[in-house]
Amino acid sequence: MPENPSADASVAVAAPTCEHHGSSLGIGAARPRLSWVIESAPDGWLQTAYELEIAPEAGPAWSSGRVDSDESVLVAWPDEVPPLRSRERRTVRVRVWGTGGTRSGWSPLLTVEAGLLVPRDFTAAMITPTVPELTRPSLLRTSFDLPAPVVRARLYITAHGLYEAEINGLRVGEDVLAPGWSSYHHRLRYATHDVTSLVTEGPNVLGAWLGEGWFSGRFGIHGGRTALYGRHTGLFAQLEVDCADGRRVVVNTDERWRCAYGPVTFAGLYEGERYDARAELPGWSRPGFDASDWQSVRPVVFDRDTLCAPSGPPVRRVESRAPQAVLTSPSGRRILDFGQNIAGRVRIRVRGHAGATVTLRHAEVLQDGELYTRPLRHATSTDTYILKGGGTVEEWEPRFTIHGFRYVEVTGWPEEEAHLDVTAQVIHTDMRRTGWFSSSDALLNRLHENVRWSMRGNFVDVPTDCPQRDERLGWTGDIQVFAPTASFLYDCAGFLTSWLADLAHDQYADGTVPFIVPAIPVPEWTPAWPAALWGDAAVLVPWTLFQRFGDRSVLRAQYASARAWVDLIASQRGEDGVWRHGKQLGDWLDPAAPPEDPWQARTDPYLVAHAYLARSAQVLALIAEELGESADEAGYRILAQEARAAFLDTFVGADGRMSSDTQTAYALALRFDLLPDDDTRAAAGERLAELVGKDGHRIATGFAGTPEVCDALSDTGHDDTAYRLLLQRQRPSWLYGVTQGATTVWERWDSMLPDGTVNPGEMTSFNHYALGAVADFLHRVVAGLSPAAPGYRRLRIAPRPGGGLTHAEARHLTPYGTAEAGWRLAGGTLTVTATVPPNTSADIDVPGLDATTVGSGTHCFEVPWPAERTGQDWTDTMWLKD
Ligand code: BGC
C-alpha cells in the first residue's frame, strides 16, 4: 500500500514540534502539547481536521482518527494516549484535512523523549569537592566498566555552579555556562544528553569541570557578593547506560568520585578566568589516568524536588567572529576590534615558551584610542592564559566566564608569533531566529540590527539589563518593555516561560515583584518594593507570550503571580483611587535627568505608576477572561474602570492638558486607553505631536514613554511626527547612537557623547535593549506586521509608509508559518505585499484602501501615492561614522 493513498500533493506538513522545544530530548512535560506548521497549501487554505499518530518504541501506534478541528498550535496531548513516563520515547506524526477536501500526506516524524519526570527517578547525589580552596574551579571524575556493548546512554546532569562534562576525553554536548541561572532553591534545571556514542564496553571515565558561576561566585551590583546561593559548588550527574545484554548500568555522582584542581586557577563571571596550561592533567577524563592522589568528594544536602527539565534551549556558542582590525593605541597597546559589541569571550591559538602569559582585557568602547573600562565598574573582565610551551599550538577559551565587549586588549602575546590568532565567540541562549526587518533607510536598518544584537547580548539564559558591568541582572522592567520585540526577533517562548516561573517563585508573599529575577540581594534594591513598569512584568510578559506565541498555559501558570501583583498595588491606592505609593522609578532614564540621577524624569512618577496599574488591571481582566475565570474578570474590569476614572480625575485637566505635560504622559494615556472619548484622544495626540515638535523631534522619554511614543503618534494620525522622531539623528534619538557607530542599543540616549567621550554617569552601558523596544513599532507599524489574534492566528497587515522611506518589509516565522508584510513606493504607486501562512487569515489595513480580510497566500495591493505623501526624504543626508 502506498503510504498516502489519497494525499493531496498540494498540502504538506512539517514534522510536529512539542511545547516550545527545538530538540525534544529530555523534555519535562508528560503530556507535551503538539504543534505543526503547514509547509505548503493552496491559497486560502484552512485546516478542518487532523489525525495524530503516536507510536511507542515497540508496539502498535495509536491513532486519533480524524479529529474535526482547526487547531494546529500547542494542541493538547490526546486524553486517550497515556502520558509519557520518565525516559520514554515516542514518535509523533500528523496529517491534516482542509479547504476543498484536501488532505496532506503524513508529516515527518517527531521523536520525543521524556527526561526524568519525578524526583524519585534521581538517584545521584550532589557532591562537592573537598579541595581546600573553595573558590578554585576543580575537576571531578569517576571510572566505571560497561559489561557489554552500548545500546543507549543518557547523561542527566546539573550543578551548583557551572559545569562542563567529559566522557572518555570528549566533551559532552555543546552547552556553555550550564546549567545557567535560575532561582536555584526552587528550580534547578538539569540537561539530558545523548551520550551513546561516547561510552563503550569496558573501562570508561565520566568527569566534569566545575566552577562557581552564579551559584557561589561573585555577583550583584557594586562588585556583588559571593555565595549568593551557597558556599559550595556541587555536581549532580546520573549516567544511565542500556547495554546490549539487557542490563542498565547507572553511574551516579556519589562519595566514590574524586576531585583535584585543574588548570583553571580562578574563574568569575565578572572577573574573568585564569588558566595555567602547565597545570593541565592530560587524559584526566580518560581510562588509564592515575587519579590515586586525587582528593575525596562529599555529598551535600540537596533537594531533588527542585530538579526540572529546561523549557527553552541552552546557552551555546552561536557564532565565531574574526577581528576586523588590530589597533595600536596611543600608549602602544595592541587592541583587537571585533567590529561588533557582543556577549561572549575569545578563543586564542598561540605558540610560545612555557610560562609566557597572555592577558586579554575586554571592553565595549575605546576612549582616546585606549580601552575604556570605567563602565564595567567592578567587572574586571580579564582572562589570562599561561602557556605550557613545547612548540605546539595551544588553543584556549575560558569556560566559566563571559564578557560584554567589542574590543580586546592583548598583552603578553609571544613576540615570535606575528599573527594574533584570536576569535570572538558569540554566546547566548540558542534560540531560533524568527524575525527580520529592512527598509530603504540604512540607519534604521542598523538600528534594527543593533536591537537584535542587544537582545543577543542579553538573552544569556536570563533576560538581563546588560552583559558587561557588575550587574547583568534580570531586571523585570527592561524585559517587560522589550518582550514584544524579543518575541518577534527570536523564538524566546521557552526562555521567557522559564524566567517567569522564577519570577513567580521569587515574588514576595505580599505580591511584591522583585526588581530582578532571579532575585538576589542587591544593595538599595533589596528588599524590593512595589514599583510600576518593573513589577508589571508579572502581568504583561505572560500576556505578550500569549499574544505572540498563542500559549494559553503560560497565562494559567502565571495567573496567581499576576493577580498577587495587581491585588497588592490596587490595595495601596489612596482615597482618591490613585496608586501613589512608595518610591517609583517612573520614566526611568528620561534624557533630561542628569547623568548622576536617572530618577529625575519630567513626568510625574505617580502618573506613570497609576497608568501602569490601570494597564495591568485591564490586561489581567483579559487574562481572566481567557482562563474562564469570570468572577475575576468582572472584578478586574471594575478595577480597570476605576483606575481609568481616577487617572482622568487626577492627571487630565478639563481642557485635556495633562498634569505632566510631557511626551511620556500623553503616550501612556493614549496607549493604555485611559482617555474617555475620541475627542480627548485626538486632542492628546495633537498635544503629543506638538510637544515632540517643540522638543525638536527629539526623544524626551525614558523607559516608560519610549516604547509607546511612536505608536501613540501613529494611532492618532501623526505618522509624520512619528517618523521625524524615529529618524531623528540629533541626540537624544534612536539614530544618534547609530551615527556614532553604535553596534548595539545603549542604556542612555547618549552613552557616548558627541566628542567621543563616555557619558560620565555611573550607569553607562553600551548594550541595553530597553530603549530598543521601538523595534516592535518597526515591525508592526513601519512594515505593518502584527498579530490580530493570539499566536498570529489572524494577522494584521497595516503598514504606514512615510518618513521618506521608499520601502520597508518585515518577516516573521509565526507559529503557523512564515508571514511577511512589506511595501514599496515607485512611480506614484504604493505597492503593499502580504504573505499569510496557511490556516490563518489577515486583516488588511492599507491607507487609501477599504479594509478587507484575506486568506493564506501572497497578496498584493496597489494604491496611488502622490509624491507629497512620501514624507521627508532623510536618506540624502545619511552618513555613518567609522
Ligand atoms: C539597570 C536597569 C534597571 C535599573 C532599575 C539599572 O542599573 O541597568 O536597566 O532596570 O537599574 O532601575
Side-chain angles (χ1 to χ4, degrees):
M1 260 256 299
E3 175 77 336
N4 292 301
S6 57
D8 193 319
S10 65
V11 183
V13 198
T17 52
C18 73
E19 294 297 321
H20 298 293
H21 294 297
S23 152
S24 307
L25 177 67
I27 64 167
R31 301 170 51 81
R33 294 166 299 166
L34 301 165
S35 307
W36 52 90
V37 167
I38 312 301
E39 276 187 326
S40 61
D43 286 354
W45 190 91
L46 295 170
Q47 179 186 301
T48 53
Y50 66 80
E51 179 178 358
L52 276 170
E53 192 182 83
I54 303 183
E57 279 190 276
W62 172 90
S63 162
S64 66
R66 183 182 156 132
V67 179
D68 289 331
S69 165
D70 57 3
E71 295 299 319
S72 57
V73 170
L74 298 168
V75 173
W77 185 258
D79 282 343
E80 303 85 342
V81 180
L84 292 166
R85 283 172 285 117
S86 292
R87 311 177 183 85
E88 195 179 349
R89 227 172 139 80
R90 305 237 181 106
T91 56
V92 180
R93 60 180 186 165
V94 65
R95 59 180 172 177
V96 297
W97 286 261
T99 311
T102 47
R103 201 201 72 190
S104 73
W106 285 107
S107 71
L109 290 175
L110 157 75
T111 302
V112 290
E113 181 177 316
L116 301 183
L117 302 177
V118 283
R120 67 168 183 279
D121 292 326
F122 293 100
T123 50
M126 182 69 79
I127 55 170
T128 191
T130 57
V131 287
E133 265 182 71
L134 271 181
T135 55
R136 181 166 169 185
S138 45
L139 301 172
L140 292 88
R141 82 192 292 277
T142 194
S143 50
F144 57 97
D145 275 294
L146 292 176
V150 174
V151 174
R152 177 184 296 175
R154 296 288 181 265
L155 176 64
Y156 305 98
I157 184 164
T158 188
H160 281 166
L162 301 174
Y163 71 89
E164 268 190 26
E166 292 186 14
I167 292 179
N168 298 332
L170 294 172
R171 168 104 147 79
V172 175
E174 296 174 340
D175 306 359
V176 302
L177 301 176
W181 185 17
S182 56
S183 177
Y184 296 125
H185 294 317
H186 300 107
R187 298 171 62 246
L188 178 62
R189 288 159 302 164
Y190 67 91
T192 303
H193 292 283
D194 179 353
V195 293
T196 313
S197 63
L198 298 183
V199 286
T200 58
E201 184 179 7
N204 291 268
V205 170
L206 168 61
W209 303 73
L210 184 64
E212 295 192 297
W214 294 277
F215 189 85
S216 47
R218 181 170 294 282
F219 217 68
I221 306 184
H222 306 312
R225 273 173 46 179
T226 58
L228 289 162
Y229 292 91
R231 283 184 59 227
H232 301 273
T233 54
L235 179 72
F236 183 97
Q238 186 165 327
L239 172 66
E240 300 188 350
V241 186
D242 292 330
C243 295
D245 63 359
R247 271 187 278 182
R248 170 171 291 173
V249 176
V250 180
V251 180
N252 283 333
T253 37
D254 60 21
E255 67 287 348
R256 286 171 295 186
W257 282 56
R258 313 289 288 171
C259 69
Y261 294 131
V264 184
T265 56
F266 177 84
L269 287 162
Y270 290 155
E271 300 91 329
E273 189 159 313
R274 286 178 231 141
Y275 188 97
D276 186 347
R278 297 168 304 182
E280 281 176 354
L281 301 168
W284 71 272
S285 68
R286 278 200 292 270
F289 177 84
D290 178 11
S292 54
D293 61 344
W294 282 36
Q295 314 285 306
S296 58
V297 300
R298 162 173 84 70
V300 290
V301 179
F302 168 62
D303 179 3
R304 290 186 177 82
D305 288 352
T306 59
L307 289 168
C308 62
S311 59
V315 176
R316 297 206 175 101
R317 284 180 204 87
V318 285
E319 196 179 317
S320 173
R321 298 178 72 94
Q324 289 197 347
V326 182
L327 312 170
T328 304
S329 77
S331 68
R333 289 159 199 266
R334 269 203 290 187
I335 298 175
L336 302 179
D337 176 3
F338 286 94
Q340 173 62 52
N341 199 20
I342 64 161
R345 51 206 190 199
V346 296
R347 174 177 297 185
I348 59 171
R349 295 181 78 249
V350 61
R351 193 169 30 196
H353 62 273
T357 303
V358 175
T359 302
L360 306 153
R361 291 173 64 228
H362 303 71
E364 296 187 292
V365 287
L366 305 180
Q367 186 169 304
D368 299 325
E370 303 287 349
L371 205 69
Y372 194 71
T373 57
R374 180 181 60 82
L376 306 179
R377 303 195 303 218
H378 292 85
T380 41
S381 308
T382 302
D383 297 333
T384 311
Y385 180 79
I386 305 177
L387 280 75
K388 60 183 170 234
T392 54
V393 172
E394 302 174 36
E395 182 163 352
W396 178 72
E397 177 193 330
R399 282 181 173 73
F400 297 136
T401 193
I402 182 165
H403 312 295
F405 67 98
R406 168 174 168 171
Y407 300 95
V408 176
E409 182 192 282
V410 184
T411 45
W413 196 269
E415 306 237 318
E416 57 279 19
E417 289 287 298
H419 176 54
L420 284 175
D421 191 345
V422 183
T423 51
Q425 307 296 315
V426 179
I427 289 174
H428 56 75
T429 296
D430 196 5
M431 302 164 291
R432 182 173 67 121
R433 183 170 181 190
T434 53
W436 292 263
F437 170 85
S438 65
S439 74
S440 56
D441 187 320
L443 295 186
L444 203 55
N445 297 348
R446 183 65 229 193
L447 171 71
H448 188 266
E449 199 53 7
N450 291 359
V451 175
R452 192 168 76 84
W453 273 105
S454 279
M455 174 170 179
R456 299 178 74 184
N458 284 293
F459 271 55
V460 182
D461 204 43
V462 162
T464 55
D465 54 336
C466 56
Q468 75 298 85
R469 67 176 177 230
D470 52 0
E471 210 151 347
R472 315 183 192 182
L473 301 166
W475 287 96
T476 48
D478 302 47
I479 188 60
Q480 188 273 108
V481 297
F482 190 69
T485 299
S487 303
F488 186 91
L489 296 175
Y490 285 87
D491 181 352
C492 55
F495 173 102
L496 287 177
T497 303
S498 176
W499 180 79
L500 282 169
D502 282 344
L503 183 148
H505 279 301
D506 286 348
Q507 197 167 358
Y508 295 9
D510 72 353
T512 300
V513 175
F515 284 102
I516 55 175
V517 173
I520 54 169
V522 280
E524 292 164 50
W525 303 95
T526 313
W529 63 93
L533 195 153
W534 277 257
D536 294 288
V539 182
L540 302 179
V541 177
W543 186 244
T544 297
L545 295 189
F546 176 57
Q547 293 302 316
R548 301 305 177 97
F549 299 100
D551 187 351
R552 192 171 274 102
S553 77
V554 74
L555 299 182
R556 175 54 74 192
Q558 299 302 129
Y559 189 52
S561 151
R563 281 189 49 187
W565 167 251
V566 172
D567 292 351
L568 168 69
I569 58 177
S571 76
Q572 294 178 335
R573 286 173 298 161
E575 277 181 9
D576 57 357
V578 174
W579 184 40
R580 197 183 279 104
H581 194 271
K583 193 172 177 186
Q584 292 294 331
L585 280 73
D587 198 21
W588 178 256
L589 276 178
D590 178 326
E596 67 288 354
D597 193 357
W599 305 73
Q600 286 305 325
R602 279 166 277 198
T603 309
D604 174 1
Y606 293 121
L607 182 155
V608 174
H610 188 74
Y612 258 99
L613 173 123
R615 174 71 183 145
S616 275
Q618 286 163 12
V619 170
L620 189 51
L622 297 172
I623 293 175
E625 182 183 3
E626 276 305 324
L627 297 176
E629 300 281 357
S630 41
D632 287 355
E633 181 196 338
Y636 291 119
R637 273 195 208 292
I638 293 171
L639 174 62
Q641 278 158 15
E642 286 172 3
R644 196 172 189 251
F647 184 87
L648 207 55
D649 283 352
T650 313
F651 301 113
V652 189
D655 58 354
R657 203 45 75 86
M658 296 188 63
S659 56
S660 290
D661 194 24
T662 60
Q663 293 187 22
T664 292
Y666 291 100
L668 292 183
L670 284 163
R671 292 290 292 164
F672 293 177
D673 192 18
L674 302 176
L675 300 175
D677 50 53
D678 287 347
D679 288 347
T680 325
R681 270 191 291 276
E686 235 10 272
R687 181 62 186 158
L688 174 59
E690 221 169 83
L691 288 173
V692 172
K694 276 193 178 163
D695 285 320
H697 296 96
R698 276 172 305 189
I699 272 287
T701 52
F703 269 37
T706 299
E708 311 296 345
V709 63
C710 285
D711 272 294
L713 288 164
S714 176
D715 289 350
T716 50
H718 299 280
D719 285 322
D720 206 47
T721 310
Y723 271 109
R724 292 193 69 176
L725 187 61
L726 181 65
L727 297 174
Q728 174 63 260
R729 296 164 202 187
Q730 301 300 315
R731 69 179 170 142
S733 69
W734 283 287
L735 295 188
Y736 164 72
V738 178
T739 66
Q740 296 291 303
T743 61
T744 37
V745 177
W746 298 344
E747 175 171 28
R748 294 172 183 273
W749 296 107
D750 55 356
S751 282
M752 180 75 80
L753 302 175
D755 65 1
T757 60
V758 173
N759 185 300
E762 188 218 355
M763 296 177 344
T764 306
S765 146
F766 288 86
N767 203 352
H768 245 69
Y769 51 55
L771 302 179
V774 71
D776 201 45
F777 178 79
L778 301 182
H779 309 141
R780 286 183 293 99
V781 183
V782 175
L785 177 59
S786 59
Y792 294 83
R793 184 66 198 263
R794 195 180 178 96
L795 317 182
R796 179 172 148 81
I797 307 281
R800 294 291 175 263
L805 304 185
T806 53
H807 65 90
E809 44 279 319
R811 179 156 57 100
H812 180 55
L813 307 185
T814 76
Y816 294 89
T818 304
E820 284 172 297
W823 54 269
R824 187 166 286 276
L825 285 173
T829 304
L830 167 70
T831 309
V832 173
T833 44
T835 302
V836 182
N839 205 23
T840 70
S841 59
D843 299 336
I844 307 288
D845 174 352
V846 173
L849 280 187
D850 288 343
T852 173
T853 297
V854 297
S856 69
T858 296
H859 306 271
C860 206
F861 306 89
E862 291 196 343
V863 194
W865 202 266
E868 60 271 20
R869 288 194 71 175
T870 308
Q872 185 173 347
D873 184 3
W874 296 86
T875 46
D876 56 345
T877 51
M878 193 162 49
W879 57 283
L880 262 173
K881 205 180 137 183
D882 284 335

